[in-house]
């Protein structure tokens, strides 16, 4: 059945989505940021590489993929959007393969397929699968990278890692995360092979590993050589990117004025709510464990709650776009809750703490390397973004959801899938029926994620 799922999932996803795609495609030539993406994509599709919109802030990966349309004479708005739909079809296959490998036979192929479907119809992700945005194809490259990295096929992993960075610069963080995990896992495995210390005691958080490592020059040398052999391909991406940061002075290309890096730690809290809210199956299964974790560590939990309140008070950033652009759900969340009631942002602190604990419990089965590198990567990829934008949460959420604790499929998994589908129905209903006009645009504007 494994081979059947590999065909059924992408084909079924595209056929299911095609009528909706055609309806979305017929509503407007440009949807918000497509105003910049589509003309640039059409220029590259026609091989007009001297055309570049200075307002674009990403590398040209999205537009280079448009070259695939040129031999087919499909350099049109529909053709560009079809690239996203095709990418979404590839994504569901990759989600299935990666999740099945993580489940390692504990849930069966049908369980992995169910999980892949659930993740692929994640409402914000599914919506942008119908538009020419960077999000869908950026995720495609990250998943291809992660899939090959899991198999320790480091050369193809590095190729797709580089492609993911071309799609969106912040994807360099996931390349660094995987590289860091490779380094740490290599240290653990090399030390475990010596047999001097029982394998179960060789842990990153334990002193046995580091004592053994630095007391044996030969072991240290073997570790270094093994790390170089595995990570040299990733270094060929990371080191030039560091040079780019040094020369450019920012991770952003083009117009930097609206994307200046600033510390914004509450993004972690917003992400925790996002992940706990959409990852319903994990939240239901880990809620009791999270509540028990808080109960057993009351003093630490109280200190964490106070820290969250301090961070919210001192470091809540509000980007002008968040207040001005009423075409996004985040505008309404902020204007009607966070911005309207001064106390609301503080009242959310217990929910932030509980959500963080739910996420922690869902990943506690993972190796120490993941538990160390994933939170660090989350901080780097989210906490220097001033703008609250749900699209920034998509890749980290998918990586979180792929690695959640595997259990037998039950009502929680069906509830999560059903909630995603119902929310998609509501989202597209609002998109199709709610129109309003901006002074500088003759076409109607619509509300999206």
């Amino acid at each position: 059945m494994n081979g059947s799922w590999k065909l059924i999932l992408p084909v079924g996803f595209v056929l299911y989505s095609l009528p909706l795609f055609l309806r979305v495609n017929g509503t407007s030539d440009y949807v918000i940021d497509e105003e910049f993406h589509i003309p640039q994509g059409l220029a590259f599709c026609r091989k007009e590489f001297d055309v570049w919109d200075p307002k674009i802030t990403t590398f040209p990966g999205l537009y280079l993929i448009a070259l695939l349309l040129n031999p087919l004479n499909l350099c049109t708005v529909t053709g560009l959007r079809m690239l996203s739909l095709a990418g979404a079809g590839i994504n569901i296959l990759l989600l299935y393969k990666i999740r099945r490998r993580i489940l390692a036979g504990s849930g069966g192929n049908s369980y992995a397929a169910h999980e892949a479907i659930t993740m692929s119809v994640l409402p914000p992700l599914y919506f942008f699968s119908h538009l020419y945005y960077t999000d869908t194809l950026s995720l495609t490259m990250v998943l291809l990278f992660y899939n090959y990295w899991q198999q320790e096929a480091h050369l193809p992993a590095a190729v797709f890692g580089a492609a993911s960075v071309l799609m969106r610069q912040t994807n360099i963080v996931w390349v660094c995360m995987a590289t860091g995990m490779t380094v740490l896992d290599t240290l653990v495995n090399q030390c475990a092979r010596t047999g001097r210390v029982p394998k179960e005691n060789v842990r990153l958080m334990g002193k046995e590993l580091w004592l053994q490592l630095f007391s044996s020059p030969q072991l240290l040398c073997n570790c270094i050589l093994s790390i170089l052999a595995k990570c040299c391909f990733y270094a060929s991406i990371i080191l030039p990117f560091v040079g780019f940061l040094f020369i450019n002075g920012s991770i952003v290309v083009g117009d930097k004025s609206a994307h200046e890096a600033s510390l914004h730690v509450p993004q972690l809290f917003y992400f925790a709510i996002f992940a706990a809210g959409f990852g319903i199956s994990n939240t239901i299964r880990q809620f009791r464990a999270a509540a028990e974790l808080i109960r057993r560590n009351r003093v630490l939990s109280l200190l964490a709650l106070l820290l969250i309140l301090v961070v919210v008070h001192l470091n809540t950033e509000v980007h002008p776009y968040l207040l001005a652009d009423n075409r996004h759900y985040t505008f309404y969340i902020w204007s009607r809750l966070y911005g309207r009631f001064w106390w609301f942002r503080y009242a959310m602190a217990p929910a932030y703490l509980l959500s963080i604990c739910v996420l922690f419990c869902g990943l506690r089965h993972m190796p120490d390397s993941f538990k160390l590198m994933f939170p660090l990567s989350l901080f780097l990829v989210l906490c220097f973004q001033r703008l609250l934008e749900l699209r920034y949460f998509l890749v980290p959420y998918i990586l979180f959801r792929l690695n959640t604790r595997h259990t037998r499929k039950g009502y929680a998994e069906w509830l999560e899938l059903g909630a995603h589908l119902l929310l998609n129905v509501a989202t597209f209903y609002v998109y199709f029926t709610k129109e309003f006009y901006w002074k500088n645009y003759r076409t109607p504007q619509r509300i999206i994620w």
Side-chain angles (χ1 to χ4, degrees):
M1 188 62 183
N2 177 34
S4 299
W5 283 120
K6 290 180 180 179
L7 178 63
I8 291 171
L9 287 173
V11 173
F13 178 88
V14 172
L15 291 178
Y16 166 81
S17 303
L18 194 57
L20 189 58
F21 171 85
L22 294 174
R23 175 76 188 278
V24 171
N25 189 61
T27 59
S28 178
D29 289 337
Y30 299 151
V31 177
I32 307 185
D33 284 357
E34 283 188 327
E35 174 185 354
F36 310 107
H37 296 313
I38 285 178
Q40 190 61 60
L42 291 175
F44 271 49
C45 187
R46 296 188 296 263
K47 301 183 180 180
E48 298 171 2
F49 302 117
D50 57 331
V51 175
W52 184 258
D53 188 337
K55 292 184 179 180
I56 292 173
T57 59
T58 57
F59 288 156
L62 178 67
Y63 317 117
L64 289 171
I65 285 189
L67 286 168
L68 295 173
L69 301 175
N70 185 279
L72 305 174
N73 294 319
L74 288 176
C75 292
T76 63
V77 173
T78 303
L80 292 176
R81 288 173 173 166
M82 283 292 290
L83 289 174
S84 291
L85 185 62
I90 296 170
N91 288 348
I92 194 172
L93 174 60
L94 291 168
L95 291 168
Y96 166 71
K97 292 178 67 175
I98 294 170
R99 186 59 174 162
R100 185 168 59 87
R101 193 176 298 119
I102 291 171
L103 291 171
S106 62
N109 294 332
S110 63
Y111 186 15
H114 180 102
E115 298 269 77
I117 294 169
T118 301
M119 284 182 273
S120 67
V121 296
L122 174 72
L125 175 63
Y126 186 68
F127 187 89
F128 288 105
S129 299
H130 299 77
L131 302 176
Y132 188 58
Y133 269 64
T134 56
D135 303 278
T136 303
L137 291 167
S138 171
L139 178 62
T140 303
M141 297 306 165
V142 172
L143 290 176
L144 283 166
F145 159 70
Y146 197 69
N147 177 60
Y148 282 110
W149 172 81
Q150 271 192 328
Q151 301 174 69
E152 297 193 20
H154 297 297
L155 177 57
V159 170
F160 288 111
S164 74
V165 176
L166 278 177
M167 288 288 174
R168 182 174 285 171
Q169 293 94 302
T170 51
N171 288 336
I172 190 67
V173 172
W174 309 118
V175 177
C176 291
M177 182 187 83
T179 305
M181 289 175 62
T182 301
V183 170
L184 296 174
D185 289 340
T186 300
L187 293 177
V188 171
N189 293 334
Q190 288 286 345
C191 289
R193 284 176 189 169
T194 64
R196 297 179 187 175
V197 180
K199 186 175 181 180
E200 59 272 14
N201 292 338
V202 181
R203 299 184 55 131
L204 285 173
M205 309 302 180
K207 63 181 180 179
E208 290 83 3
L209 182 147
W210 303 104
L211 287 173
Q212 185 178 353
L213 188 64
F214 291 108
S215 64
S216 173
Q218 183 179 357
L219 177 60
L220 182 60
C221 184
N222 290 339
C223 287
I224 292 172
L225 291 175
S226 182
I227 288 169
L228 288 174
K230 293 178 180 179
C231 297
C232 60
F233 300 118
Y234 305 131
S236 67
I237 305 169
I238 296 169
L239 294 178
F241 192 86
V242 172
F244 158 76
L245 289 178
F246 181 77
I247 295 169
N248 190 55
S250 168
I251 198 171
V252 174
V253 298
D255 182 13
K256 301 179 178 67
S257 59
H259 297 276
E260 294 179 356
S262 61
L263 186 64
H264 191 193
V265 178
Q267 291 274 29
L268 288 176
F269 309 150
Y270 307 145
F271 172 78
I273 291 290
F274 179 94
F278 283 110
I280 295 171
S281 61
N282 178 73
T283 301
I284 289 174
R285 297 194 184 283
Q286 303 303 330
F287 185 86
R288 183 176 297 179
E292 181 64 19
L293 180 66
I294 293 172
R295 189 192 68 79
R296 287 200 318 265
N297 300 276
R298 293 177 183 175
V299 175
L300 285 177
S301 297
L302 181 59
L303 291 174
L305 186 63
L306 291 173
L307 179 61
I308 289 172
L309 289 168
V310 170
V311 169
V312 167
H313 181 72
L314 297 178
N315 194 225
T316 297
E317 298 278 345
V318 185
H319 197 286
Y321 286 0
L322 179 62
L323 302 176
D325 196 339
N326 63 343
R327 298 171 297 180
H328 294 282
Y329 287 124
T330 48
F331 168 87
Y332 298 96
I333 293 171
W334 198 271
S335 63
R336 295 181 181 181
L337 293 173
Y338 284 87
R340 185 174 182 181
F341 306 107
W342 67 266
W343 50 263
F344 184 83
R345 63 185 67 179
Y346 302 105
M348 285 295 293
Y352 296 150
L353 177 61
L354 181 59
S355 297
I356 291 169
C357 291
V358 164
L359 269 59
F360 171 79
C361 290
L363 296 174
R364 60 186 168 178
H365 63 289
M366 293 297 289
D368 288 344
S369 59
F370 185 91
K371 288 188 283 189
L372 179 65
M373 294 303 301
F374 184 67
L376 176 61
S377 301
L378 267 183
F379 180 84
L380 292 174
V381 85
L382 295 179
C383 290
F384 294 97
Q385 305 268 10
R386 189 181 176 195
L387 178 62
L388 172 57
E389 172 66 82
L390 298 184
R391 293 187 298 120
Y392 300 158
F393 296 162
L394 295 179
V395 172
Y397 172 80
I398 291 296
L399 292 176
F400 157 76
R401 187 62 182 82
L402 279 170
N403 289 286
T404 50
R405 181 181 292 273
H406 28 91
T407 57
R408 294 173 60 186
K409 184 169 65 175
Y411 78 95
E413 283 72 24
W414 286 108
L415 181 61
E416 182 176 340
L417 176 58
H420 286 187
L421 293 174
L422 286 174
L423 193 51
N424 280 330
V425 171
T427 301
F428 282 104
Y429 175 79
V430 170
Y431 176 77
F432 290 132
T433 60
K434 179 68 174 177
E435 295 182 355
F436 50 92
Y437 286 84
W438 279 19
K439 291 182 179 179
N440 298 332
Y441 294 83
R442 60 178 181 81
T443 56
Q445 302 301 301
R446 302 170 185 273
I447 299 174
I448 70 171
W449 284 101

